[in-house]
Amino acid sequence: MPWYFFDVLHDGDDVTRDHKGVDLPDMDAARTHAIGIWHRIISERDAGGRDPQHWNVAVLDVHGTVLALVPMPTGPDGRPPAMG
C-alpha cells in the first residue's frame, strides 16, 4: 500500500509537517484521512485554537510531491460542519 503524508498548510509560510505518514490503500482513503485531520483541527479551533479557514491539508507521497490539497470542509451555508 502507498505511504501518504499529511502536512497542514497554515496562513502564510507556516507548515506543520507530518514526519510519520500513514500506510493507506489509495487516494480515496488518503482524502478520508485528511478529512479526519480537519475534524481535529476544527475541534481545536472550537476549544480556542487558531482560525483555520484559509488552511489546507496537503496530501503528499513518499517523495514529497503534493498529490492533493484538501481545504476545510464546509456545509451548505459555507461554515464548517458541526463536529461531534
Side-chain angles (χ1 to χ4, degrees):
M1 284 194 283
W3 205 261
Y4 297 94
F5 295 84
F6 299 86
D7 290 356
V8 178
L9 310 177
H10 305 270
D11 297 324
D13 296 328
D14 191 17
V15 177
T16 301
R17 299 262 180 224
D18 173 10
H19 296 286
K20 293 181 181 180
V22 179
D23 190 17
L24 296 168
D26 55 31
M27 268 305 291
D28 287 336
R31 288 180 194 276
T32 299
H33 187 82
I35 295 299
I37 292 169
W38 269 114
H39 285 231
R40 289 193 304 274
I41 292 169
I42 291 168
S43 294
E44 289 174 9
R45 189 228 24 219
D46 291 344
R50 293 171 43 194
D51 181 7
Q53 184 175 354
H54 300 289
W55 298 3
N56 283 285
V57 174
V59 180
L60 298 93
D61 66 12
V62 294
H63 304 291
T65 302
V66 176
L67 304 173
L69 290 176
V70 181
M72 182 171 67
T74 58
D77 62 357
R79 298 179 58 196
M83 300 292 159

